Amino acid sequence: MSDDKKRDDYTIEMGERARDDERPPPPPKSPFQPPKSGILNHPMLPVFSYCASSISMTVANKFVLQPGFNLNFFFLCLQSCVCVLAVHTCKTLGFITYRDFSTTEARKWFPVSLLLVGMIYTGSKALQYLSIPVYTIFKNLTIIITAYGEVLLFGSSVSRLTLFSFGLIVLSSVVAAWADISHALASNEGATEAARAQISTLNAGYLWMLFNCFCTTTYVLGMRTRIKITGFKDFDTMFYNNFLTIPVLIIASLVLEDWSSANINVQFPAEGRNRILFAIFVTGIFTVFISYTSAWCVRVTSGATYSMVGALNKIPIAVSGLIFFGDPVTPRSVSAISIGAASGIVYAIAKNQQSAAKADGLPVAKPVVSASNQSARDSMRS
């Protein structure tokens, strides 16, 4: 029930006076509005919550997505179902709010959900073959592709400091790949076949990571365009994304994946089945929690602080792979993590400087738009 409707219910006729005990109760607090004082308003709590949820989700995903796992579409479908159930429960309890399902809006949003399927599937395959530190570092390459996609489609600009951060991102990726391949060769010295098999696995991971970078960019740019059309907020996007991907993932799983009883027993062995299903449940829950803590972090701190937290958060995520999955700790791998974290910090600073320049009304150089690029923009908006 809306606030306006509540106020109408308590309208008093002219000439009457409401006694103190008949006065309407104060309106309920809107979602994402913690108390203005106390521990919930301390900036460390949302920052810690955001970091913890990001790390937990990455570790849980990696726990399920071992190299032999081949039911990725089914895994992603269960994850989406848990997420839809979680956001619906939170809405029922009044913690969050989002629009009710509309067929018209679903048709407008469905292409974005298809792009999301491509992004999360290629991401799951990349994480399956790569270690968490390497996956985290290579994920930064998406920033470069997305930035230039925004230049072409939306007329955004790229500053010199941003270009410098891009250079660090590429350098960290090269060092990470070098560290991975060097460790594979060193750990299998004399065993040529084993070394070839491990390098082949790494190459498959790099290829899936490349696909994921382009799929992520396409999804982000497509979502940005559709949000302007639909006016979706954060939890509108989350609900429609997860709800609309479920039938696509079900069909893809039934058609493309092996549902024989033998394969099911291999993928979900009796001794570890409950742990795997619990990990899938946790990833769905933390999808919601990440969105909540992101909004909480921005509100309690600032956009600049949140950007910096997102950049620094890559360090504990990468370290979690070293702790929980025994990823190799070498000078090269540590250097790659450090350079990757530095690139994120520089990029966050560059974006904050650009935002401040726009807020101050300073002129921002706009790139020259060719006829082909303008045509691409118009097609994205239609």
Side-chain angles (χ1 to χ4, degrees), residues 32-35 39-50 289-302 306:
F32 303 127
Q33 294 296 331
I39 189 171
L40 291 179
N41 200 39
H42 195 283
M44 287 304 298
L45 184 59
V47 168
F48 175 79
S49 300
Y50 171 74
F289 198 58
I290 287 173
S291 294
Y292 182 90
T293 53
S294 297
W296 186 12
C297 189
V298 171
R299 185 185 57 254
V300 174
T301 58
S302 66
Y306 175 71

Side-chain angles (χ1 to χ4, degrees), residues 47 297-299 301-312 344-345 347-353 355-356:
V47 168
C297 189
V298 171
R299 185 185 57 254
T301 58
S302 66
T305 302
Y306 175 71
S307 299
M308 197 60 63
V309 169
L312 294 174
I345 294 172
Y347 179 75
I349 294 173
K351 296 302 290 182
N352 290 332
Q353 286 181 354
S355 299

Side-chain angles (χ1 to χ4, degrees), residues 1 21 51 86 95 98 130 146-147 163 169 217 219 255 266 310 334 368:
M1 183 180 294
D21 58 348
C51 294
F95 295 149
Y98 59 85
L130 298 176
T146 304
L163 287 174
I169 289 173
T217 297
Y219 166 72
V255 173
V266 171
V334 173
V368 178

Side-chain angles (χ1 to χ4, degrees), residues 1 57 144 154 215 282 287:
M1 183 180 294
M57 184 170 181
I144 302 177
F154 303 111
C215 288
V282 166
T287 300

Side-chain angles (χ1 to χ4, degrees), residues 27-307:
K29 295 178 181 178
S30 59
F32 303 127
Q33 294 296 331
K36 294 184 179 181
S37 61
I39 189 171
L40 291 179
N41 200 39
H42 195 283
M44 287 304 298
L45 184 59
V47 168
F48 175 79
S49 300
Y50 171 74
C51 294
S53 58
S54 299
I55 295 170
S56 301
M57 184 170 181
T58 304
V59 171
N61 276 330
K62 184 62 177 177
F63 175 78
V64 177
L65 296 170
Q66 296 300 311
F69 191 79
N70 60 14
L71 293 175
N72 295 56
F73 283 118
F74 176 67
F75 161 68
L76 296 171
C77 180
L78 289 181
Q79 201 175 64
S80 294
C81 290
V82 171
C83 186
V84 170
L85 180 61
V87 295
H88 179 72
T89 302
C90 290
K91 181 181 180 181
T92 302
L93 296 176
F95 295 149
I96 65 174
T97 182
Y98 59 85
R99 304 182 191 185
D100 294 330
F101 182 79
S102 166
T103 306
T104 302
E105 291 182 335
R107 282 198 298 266
K108 294 178 181 178
W109 196 259
F110 186 70
V112 178
S113 296
L114 286 179
L115 296 175
L116 175 63
V117 170
M119 183 188 77
I120 60 179
Y121 179 75
T122 55
S124 71
K125 297 296 289 187
L127 184 59
Q128 195 167 354
Y129 292 111
L130 298 176
S131 64
I132 290 180
V134 174
Y135 174 82
T136 304
I137 292 168
F138 270 80
K139 193 71 176 175
N140 284 343
L141 292 173
T142 306
I143 297 175
I144 302 177
I145 304 173
T146 304
Y148 280 99
E150 290 180 341
V151 169
L152 294 175
L153 296 175
F154 303 111
S156 303
S157 59
V158 178
S159 66
R160 292 181 180 178
L161 190 58
T162 304
L163 287 174
F164 178 65
S165 72
F166 291 169
L168 291 177
I169 289 173
V170 173
L171 178 61
S172 66
S173 301
V174 171
V175 174
W178 180 32
D180 251 11
I181 295 173
S182 299
H183 181 267
L185 294 174
S187 59
N188 295 285
E189 188 174 359
T192 307
E193 291 301 323
R196 286 178 180 174
Q198 191 167 351
I199 291 176
S200 177
T201 299
L202 292 175
N203 288 336
Y206 300 146
L207 186 61
W208 280 114
M209 193 73 247
L210 179 64
F211 291 153
N212 179 252
C213 289
F214 283 102
C215 288
T216 302
T217 297
T218 307
Y219 166 72
V220 170
L221 297 177
M223 182 176 63
R224 177 176 171 179
T225 305
R226 288 292 168 177
I227 282 178
K228 292 180 179 180
I229 297 173
T230 60
F232 277 4
K233 304 300 182 183
D234 287 345
F235 282 98
D236 299 324
T237 302
M238 177 179 291
F239 171 73
Y240 275 88
N241 265 341
N242 286 278
F243 187 78
L244 295 177
T245 56
I246 291 174
V248 178
L249 293 170
I250 290 176
I251 294 172
S253 180
L254 293 176
V255 173
L256 301 175
E257 295 180 334
D258 183 4
W259 280 94
S260 63
S261 58
N263 187 58
I264 295 298
N265 291 330
V266 171
Q267 303 306 318
F268 297 97
E271 62 275 11
R273 186 172 301 160
N274 292 335
R275 291 196 301 271
I276 294 174
L277 293 176
F278 178 74
I280 294 174
F281 174 79
V282 166
T283 57
I285 294 297
F286 275 108
T287 300
V288 182
F289 198 58
I290 287 173
S291 294
Y292 182 90
T293 53
S294 297
W296 186 12
C297 189
V298 171
R299 185 185 57 254
V300 174
T301 58
S302 66
T305 302
Y306 175 71
S307 299

